[in-house]
Amino acid sequence: MLNKKSIDDINVKGKRVLCRCDFNVPLDGSRITDETRLVAALPTIKKLIADGGKVILCSHLGKPKGPDATFSLAPVAKRLSELLGQEVKFAADANVVGDNAKAAVAAMKDGDVVLLENTRYRAEETKNGEAFSEELASLADVFVNDAFGTAHRAHCSNVGVTEFIRKKGGDCAVGYLMQKEIDFLGNAVNNPERPFVAILGGAKVSSKISVIENLLDKVDTLIIGGGMAYTFMAAHGEEVGKSLLEEDYKEYALKMEKKAEEKGVKLLIPVDTTVADDFSNDANFKVVGRGEIPADMEGLDIGPKTAELFANAVAGAKTVVWNGPMGCFEMPNFAKGTIAVAEAMAKLEGATTIIGGGDSAAACNQLGFGDKMTHISTGGGASLEFLEGKDLPGVVAADDK
């Protein structure tokens, strides 16, 4: 059970609070094309403002190789000012903690907000370098981490900085967004209300090995869909045509089926498949039974019988975790399986439904089911590692209660 100090447990009145957010937003020039991450950060920022903190925000954006105007956080400061209804002063320093940042922080009054420049302008950021960590900490008395999307990485702005804040006697807490991720992806998965069903999709078995192993120790039912399923089919000598296949993982698939059987876990894979003659929405497609995929076609979605099988397995569950779509949901002709799973989860009453970030989160939102889920994770890689049962550096670095 993870029990971290949150912003509700600390006093920030009159203190300088360095708050690590996830403002890694898509940009079209200086226009933010999806502000989901900005909106998600607002509750924590508003709480720190309301409590009288001097709020210093920091984040990375993209993967710049040094200072690069294309990756500047200036558009984020502008939009945040509008969303918060108060000025977010932007400290435009190529070295992040420069004269502009120092002057802006020195001039802050309680409730003011300053945004630092892209932390990845500094090469040391991703190496968790000591010097940059200390520079960031020099601006603040307290640290709050609300960036779950980077929690699986040990960087200066989410891990290294905590050491220097603590040396000054300051608190290192988590924000509301991070707390929610810990509560759902961490604690709900480790102490689930049963029946507990996990749904895994996406392209590759190799990317979900640890997730499968960890969940088999916890779930009552494990559903395998998406591109991963073809490796499980091929492991039984079934024809998968030109479908995605990881030859090296066929033996592993059989091993996982055996483990499920030993643990009394129901493991489901597709009984029919929607196949196409090309990777295109305009391709010729049809539904075939398990093991009947033509040699010149590829599976792009689960079939209707599988959709019904999976939906029935979800019905009655009290905890459901879903990571990875059932097919190529971006193409309408091959989105039916993903829609069926989302619908089954949306219909559940009194259940905890968790979408584990990445493509499944995108699918859920694009298909209009986002508001029907208990929690949609903001972290792709971080949510996967949490589901693997790993300790995330960004979470570990926060103070325990």
Side-chain angles (χ1 to χ4, degrees):
M1 187 79 171
L2 292 163
N3 200 11
K4 293 293 178 178
K5 194 178 281 185
S6 88
I7 52 174
D8 289 329
D9 303 314
I10 61 174
N11 175 21
V12 300
K13 175 72 176 165
K15 293 179 181 174
R16 300 168 302 159
V17 185
L18 181 68
C19 182
R20 176 52 157 108
C21 298
D22 184 1
F23 296 147
N24 187 25
V25 293
L27 289 171
D28 180 4
S30 63
R31 188 175 68 87
I32 298 167
T33 57
D34 181 352
E35 55 190 44
T36 305
R37 286 175 172 163
L38 301 193
V39 173
L42 293 179
T44 291
I45 299 169
K46 286 178 177 176
K47 166 71 172 170
L48 294 172
I49 292 169
D51 286 356
K54 297 169 181 174
V55 188
I56 306 154
L57 304 174
C58 69
S59 174
H60 79 286
L61 173 62
K63 296 178 179 178
K65 291 178 169 59
D68 180 343
T70 314
F71 296 97
S72 174
L73 284 171
V76 171
K78 183 172 182 291
R79 184 61 185 135
L80 272 180
S81 299
E82 294 163 358
L83 291 169
L84 289 168
Q86 72 174 75
E87 184 191 10
V88 173
K89 189 166 180 59
F90 182 57
D93 289 303
N95 66 340
V96 187
V97 184
D99 292 341
N100 290 324
K102 290 170 185 172
V105 170
M108 291 179 89
K109 297 181 178 66
D110 294 359
D112 282 355
V113 184
V114 167
L115 173 63
L116 303 181
E117 186 53 283
N118 190 340
T119 55
R120 288 194 186 169
Y121 275 14
R122 294 283 291 267
E124 311 100 296
E125 160 72 329
T126 56
K127 300 179 178 70
N128 200 19
E130 198 169 274
F132 184 38
S133 297
E134 190 169 9
E135 284 175 46
L136 286 169
S138 72
L139 298 174
D141 309 301
V142 175
F143 177 69
V144 171
N145 191 355
D146 209 29
F148 181 71
T150 60
H152 58 313
R153 303 278 185 251
H155 291 171
C156 294
S157 63
N158 68 342
V159 173
V161 67
T162 62
E163 178 191 337
F164 295 98
I165 292 288
R166 283 196 192 92
K167 278 182 182 174
K168 297 196 284 187
D171 292 305
C172 295
V174 297
Y176 288 139
L177 191 60
M178 188 76 115
Q179 184 63 55
K180 206 175 168 199
E181 299 280 7
I182 291 169
D183 288 345
F184 286 106
L185 275 177
N187 297 335
V189 169
N190 289 319
N191 189 25
E193 195 178 345
R194 297 187 180 279
F196 178 18
V197 177
I199 306 157
L200 294 179
K204 296 180 176 181
V205 174
S206 55
S207 64
K208 304 262 170 86
I209 286 177
S210 302
V211 181
I212 296 171
E213 297 225 20
N214 188 45
L215 288 176
L216 279 176
D217 290 327
K218 303 177 189 299
V219 301
D220 300 297
T221 301
L222 180 62
I223 293 171
I224 303 281
M228 297 171 66
Y230 305 113
T231 299
F232 279 80
M233 294 176 194
H236 290 280
E238 295 168 14
E239 179 59 63
V240 296
K242 291 158 67 179
S243 307
L244 200 62
L245 170 63
E246 291 181 288
E247 283 281 354
D248 295 348
Y249 287 89
K250 291 196 295 191
E251 199 172 311
Y252 172 81
L254 293 174
K255 189 175 143 196
M256 288 303 100
E257 288 183 345
K258 188 169 187 292
K259 181 177 177 178
E261 191 180 341
E262 288 168 356
K263 291 191 165 287
V265 173
K266 191 182 287 183
L267 192 151
L268 302 176
I269 65 172
V271 293
D272 61 349
T273 304
T274 301
V275 297
D277 60 4
D278 191 22
F279 189 78
S280 159
N281 191 58
D282 301 323
N284 297 308
F285 66 93
K286 63 180 180 178
V287 175
V288 297
R290 184 172 159 180
E292 296 172 1
I293 299 175
D296 60 347
M297 300 186 90
E298 61 184 315
L300 295 184
D301 194 12
I302 57 173
K305 286 181 182 171
T306 303
E308 188 179 354
L309 174 72
F310 289 1
N312 288 340
V314 167
K318 286 296 181 186
T319 306
V320 184
V321 174
W322 177 24
N323 184 281
M326 296 295 98
C328 302
F329 72 93
E330 303 90 346
M331 297 186 264
N333 284 333
F334 310 108
K336 294 182 180 68
T338 301
I339 290 170
V341 166
E343 276 181 341
M345 289 177 69
K347 283 177 187 168
L348 290 176
E349 290 182 17
T352 300
T353 49
I354 302 165
I355 311 300
D359 285 342
S360 38
C364 226
N365 287 322
Q366 284 175 31
L367 299 170
F369 294 98
D371 60 344
K372 306 282 198 305
M373 304 301 167
T374 310
H375 177 64
I376 297 183
S377 178
T378 54
S383 62
L384 260 187
E385 292 199 15
F386 228 173
L387 290 176
E388 287 173 24
K390 287 184 179 176
D391 289 331
L392 306 189
V395 175
V396 172
D399 295 339
D400 292 322
K401 276 190 186 178

